[in-house]
Amino acid sequence: MAKYLIPCLLGLEKLVGDEVKRLGLQDVQVQNGRILCRGTDTDAARLNINLRCGARVLLVLGEFPAHSFEELFQGTRAIAWEDYLPADAAFPVKGYSISSQLHAVSACQSIIKKAMVERMKSHYGMEHFPETGTKYQVRFSLFKDEAAICLDTSGEGLYKRGYRAVGVEAPLRETLAAAMVILSRYRGRDPFCDPFCGSGTIPIEAALIAKNRAPGLERSFEAQRWSFLPSRIWMDAADEAMDKEFHGAYDIWGGDVNPKAVAIAQDNARKAGVDDIVRFEVADMRSFRRQSEYGQLVTNPPYGERLLEKSEAEELYRELGRVWQQLPPKWRTLVLSSHTEFERTFGRTADRKRKLYNGMIKCDLFMYGNV
């Protein structure tokens, strides 16, 4: 069986682990910043197409102790690279080292590359490799002197769904937006609203979740061009995902004061294939009202770090708090912010908080209601 490693944003590990379990993979292990699991070749396609919150899907080729460059070289050379890479393959090497004796990443890259070449020389009978063919991105990790050598099946990160060609300032990654929707426990039955929608990422991810539409259907993946993976697995995985889609009427709304952002959001929804079930409007958050008994308000307002000064952001949070107080009591509200004084300015301590990262920005997800 194949072994897969799925890195993810800190704070999202359990969500990704649950996704992997629902896809039926085996030996699922949830660790800090990553999930490990076992599956078949077909699961490379299924994971890439279906995961909402994972960062990418790595195929693990080797794991071994690496206290020295010699151990790193020999462990890498022991991998049967000829089973994966054709003679003309391009095989760049990337990686990182944490709490390990081999802390110089560039030196580790060179050692791994050299070991791969030595192994492939003996198999292909070649002294030099042109690297003019299909790309096989090699990724390594060194953590506490344990090496993992992988191939990156995804190519571009899984947050790049393919629907957001253009964005506005301070975009939210699609994987984090999907996680916020999942944490709100939205399932498509109640109204869903984002009064700071920007380029529409949160409402679009909510629409994909409501329809149970796999987020990777509209994009391609690096491993689709690899010779050792059968091409049919990608069509089979796409067919399986489409068979599980729901069809119905949903109340999903996004508002923003910026007409340009709203136009971009509408175009992104069209590209994602959900423009029939999500509405975007030019609207001021201060006028936001909803009368339905149940619903979800999930939003990522400006933090006061790039788009607004902190004093302006605090006034915005006060206004949002006033709007929130007028919502029916059974609404769930989730607000992502890096502002350390959010609860004070919002006017209410969160019922729950969850630490997350928006890119490199450390944030809290402030959760109100039955969440």
Side-chain angles (χ1 to χ4, degrees):
M1 294 189 80
K3 185 171 185 178
Y4 295 101
L5 188 159
I6 303 157
C8 64
L9 290 171
L10 291 172
L12 302 188
E13 295 91 343
K14 184 180 184 304
L15 297 185
V16 179
D18 289 344
E19 287 190 277
V20 172
K21 289 174 185 175
R22 283 194 295 272
L23 287 170
L25 278 89
Q26 301 177 20
D27 300 332
V28 179
Q29 300 174 49
V30 177
Q31 301 179 355
N32 284 339
R34 67 183 196 173
I35 283 54
L36 295 167
C37 59
R38 292 189 181 276
T40 65
D41 287 348
T42 302
D43 290 316
R46 297 178 68 243
L47 288 166
N48 274 298
I49 288 173
N50 287 283
L51 286 180
R52 298 188 189 279
C53 303
R56 57 183 67 248
V57 179
L58 307 181
L59 175 63
V60 181
L61 302 187
E63 294 176 290
F64 49 86
H67 299 87
S68 67
F69 286 130
E70 180 64 19
E71 285 185 326
L72 182 62
F73 180 90
Q74 294 299 340
T76 302
R77 195 180 188 283
I79 296 169
W81 292 102
E82 64 275 8
D83 292 346
Y84 303 100
L85 276 59
D88 66 344
F91 48 102
V93 179
K94 292 182 180 179
Y96 64 88
S97 176
I98 299 174
S99 304
S100 296
Q101 294 179 56
L102 302 180
H103 53 80
V105 171
S106 58
C108 293
Q109 287 174 303
S110 298
I111 292 294
I112 290 169
K113 186 88 170 183
K114 182 179 178 182
M116 293 175 65
V117 169
E118 288 300 311
R119 172 80 186 213
M120 293 169 68
K121 273 184 183 180
S122 62
H123 178 79
Y124 288 112
M126 299 168 59
E127 283 298 312
H128 301 285
F129 293 89
E131 298 197 49
T132 54
T134 300
K135 181 180 175 183
Y136 293 73
Q137 178 67 61
V138 179
R139 291 189 182 268
F140 71 90
S141 65
L142 282 164
F143 181 63
K144 294 184 177 178
D145 299 318
E146 290 290 324
I149 310 293
C150 311
L151 288 178
D152 184 348
T153 70
S154 301
E156 290 191 304
L158 295 183
Y159 72 91
K160 294 192 175 182
R161 315 289 207 213
Y163 65 72
R164 195 173 69 185
V166 226
V168 292
E169 288 182 283
L172 183 72
R173 283 197 172 183
E174 291 85 332
T175 45
L176 181 53
M180 292 168 64
V181 175
I182 292 168
L183 289 169
S184 78
R185 291 161 54 187
Y186 174 67
R187 299 295 182 270
R189 291 184 292 274
D190 307 320
F192 183 96
C193 305
D194 177 5
F196 296 99
C197 72
S199 57
T201 308
I202 294 175
I204 289 171
E205 291 298 320
L208 292 172
I209 287 170
K211 293 184 71 169
N212 199 36
R213 182 171 178 80
L217 284 172
E218 300 299 323
R219 57 160 288 179
S220 60
F221 304 96
E222 199 75 64
Q224 287 177 273
R225 295 180 285 275
W226 292 356
S227 56
F228 70 89
L229 289 178
S231 58
R232 61 170 177 76
I233 68 173
W234 301 94
M235 288 298 296
D236 290 347
D239 288 343
E240 177 193 46
M242 288 186 286
D243 286 344
K244 294 179 179 178
E245 286 188 18
F246 304 146
H247 302 280
Y250 307 97
D251 184 1
I252 303 170
W253 176 88
D256 201 282
V257 293
N258 184 347
K260 181 180 176 183
V262 171
I264 291 171
Q266 290 169 334
D267 190 51
N268 288 344
R270 179 187 59 78
K271 291 172 183 170
V274 296
D275 54 322
D276 58 330
I277 64 167
V278 61
R279 294 179 295 115
F280 291 105
E281 295 177 348
V282 178
D284 192 315
M285 172 273 300
R286 296 169 182 85
S287 62
F288 178 80
R289 300 288 185 277
R290 284 296 185 275
Q291 299 303 320
S292 52
E293 184 179 4
Y294 297 95
Q296 277 86 7
L297 190 159
V298 181
T299 193
N300 175 42
Y303 298 160
E305 297 190 14
R306 288 177 288 177
L307 295 186
L308 295 175
E309 295 298 327
K310 287 197 172 183
S311 58
E312 292 179 279
E314 288 180 1
E315 180 55 33
L316 201 63
Y317 297 155
R318 288 190 190 96
E319 294 289 344
L320 180 60
R322 295 186 190 109
V323 168
W324 172 79
Q325 288 173 5
Q326 298 176 45
L327 288 174
K330 293 183 180 179
W331 273 60
R332 298 188 187 104
T333 298
L334 279 71
V335 184
L336 185 70
S337 177
S338 67
H339 200 298
T340 55
E341 297 297 314
F342 173 82
E343 289 168 296
R344 177 183 61 80
T345 55
F346 186 77
R348 164 80 182 269
T349 301
D351 296 314
R352 287 179 59 199
K353 284 196 293 187
R354 192 177 186 122
K355 292 191 181 301
L356 297 172
Y357 282 82
N358 184 7
M360 298 301 293
I361 303 173
K362 185 179 179 180
C363 300
D364 282 297
L365 185 63
F366 299 93
M367 308 165 78
Y368 298 87
N370 183 24
V371 288

